[in-house]
Amino acid sequence: MRKLTAVFAGLFAVVAGAAYGQGGVQVIARCGPLDGFAYYFPGTNMAANEAGWQKDQISNSSFLLIQDRAGAFDIVFTDATRRTISATSNGAEVIALRKEAGLYVVLSVYSGIVETYMFAIDARGAGNMTLSQTRHYTPPLPKKVAVMVAPCGG
């Protein structure tokens, strides 16, 4: 399944990249998988004795930072359930906070999750992506604050 995800991401990048000149999108960065830490709050599906800091990762995750010709950004991701979807089509508002050579900071706001992505990449797209995530209301998932990093390839 990991190969399938990589194939999908590659195919999407080729199609999206080819379409850019015809009103499509430009792939700025390809990153994944995520690895880091999260603080889990006691409550919904999180017992008090299990709450606190824990290692967190999404080993089969992948992320594409894309931008359309109008300048709007989106994050296309493969999540823990191996579902590939864009943040905007999943209900998020995606806002570019900073854009300069080699550095992109993008905010993704859902009704129950706030995510800040920072892509620090070179001209070939190699570097790292960080994700800080605040999950404050997504039943049945527990509330958490996470900080994770993923390598980006050129």
Side-chain angles (χ1 to χ4, degrees), residues 6-151:
V7 167
F8 173 79
L11 179 62
F12 179 84
V14 169
V15 171
Y20 183 69
Q22 303 165 7
V25 298
Q26 176 185 17
V27 176
I28 295 168
R30 296 173 186 85
C31 309
L34 281 171
D35 189 40
F37 291 90
Y39 183 87
Y40 287 86
F41 293 87
T44 306
N45 289 329
M46 182 59 62
N49 65 335
E50 295 176 349
W53 286 105
Q54 297 181 23
K55 180 87 171 131
D56 201 5
Q57 66 180 19
I58 307 174
S59 59
N60 58 349
S61 62
S62 63
F63 296 81
L64 297 176
L65 173 62
I66 61 173
Q67 183 178 24
D68 67 19
R69 288 184 62 105
F73 286 91
D74 201 356
I75 305 288
V76 177
F77 60 92
T78 301
D79 65 13
T81 65
R82 298 184 183 205
R83 178 180 63 143
T84 300
I85 192 165
S86 80
T88 56
S89 68
N90 202 31
E93 180 179 359
V94 177
I95 304 160
L97 300 177
R98 186 171 185 148
K99 174 187 162 189
E100 63 185 55
L103 182 67
Y104 297 84
V105 180
V106 179
L107 182 67
S108 176
V109 181
Y110 297 86
S111 64
I113 302 173
V114 177
E115 299 173 325
T116 305
Y117 295 86
M118 186 165 79
F119 297 85
I121 54 175
D122 65 17
R124 297 173 301 127
N128 289 296
M129 174 195 90
T130 59
L131 168 63
S132 60
Q133 179 188 71
T134 300
R135 189 168 66 196
H136 56 90
Y137 184 74
T138 55
L141 300 173
K143 294 173 182 69
K144 77 172 186 176
V145 175
V147 178
M148 294 186 262
V149 66

